[in-house]
Amino acid sequence: QVQLVESGGGLVQAGGSLRLSCAASGRTFSRYAMGWFRQAPGKEREFVASISWTGGNTDYADSVKGRFTISRDNAKNTVYLQMNSLKPEDTAIYYCAAGPYTLANIRDRVWGQGTLVTVSS
């Protein structure tokens, strides 16, 4: 199965921007749907954004719509999450996820180790 490594997390002031990267191994990357999830302290892990294996379809949680942009570069085996207009409520550990063709099958998902994003007020 594909292996994922996130990077790009850090400390940023409210209103600032941050770009997360997720590097994937394996020749099957191009046929994997990719997504980002996040988990804040004391809360359940929640969906943030996803992109289809073709790159033609994207989806966003209402809380980040218009502020975050997900993209992928299959030639580099990498998916990105551009985060703009960050709010303190965005503070969480962000996890990259992958699934063969779709992310809908929970048991087939592969997870990265997570990267911490802290937004100060």
Side-chain angles (χ1 to χ4, degrees):
Q1 62 182 19
V2 67
Q3 293 181 315
L4 309 174
V5 179
E6 302 101 325
S7 63
L11 176 64
V12 65
Q13 291 183 321
S17 298
L18 209 58
R19 190 193 196 196
L20 305 183
S21 298
C22 175
S25 64
R27 291 177 59 84
T28 59
F29 173 80
S30 63
R31 296 190 181 276
Y32 275 66
M34 304 293 295
W36 291 92
F37 294 72
R38 67 186 183 186
Q39 187 167 20
K43 295 185 177 181
E44 297 288 324
R45 186 173 299 187
E46 65 177 355
F47 168 79
V48 176
S50 65
I51 186 166
S52 63
W53 70 275
T54 64
N57 296 306
T58 58
D59 193 24
Y60 299 91
D62 288 341
S63 60
V64 306
K65 195 169 298 182
R67 300 188 297 121
F68 291 11
T69 302
I70 188 171
S71 62
R72 67 189 298 162
D73 186 340
N74 288 350
K76 296 181 178 180
N77 286 357
T78 302
V79 64
Y80 305 95
L81 184 68
Q82 178 66 47
M83 304 184 294
N84 298 327
S85 301
L86 283 163
K87 306 174 181 179
E89 306 92 89
D90 296 318
T91 295
I93 298 175
Y94 283 71
Y95 296 91
C96 181
Y101 298 102
T102 178
L103 283 168
N105 298 322
I106 297 176
R107 67 178 183 179
D108 293 329
R109 284 182 199 157
V110 177
W111 297 94
Q113 83 287 352
T115 185
L116 178 63
V117 172
T118 303
V119 184
S120 62
S121 60

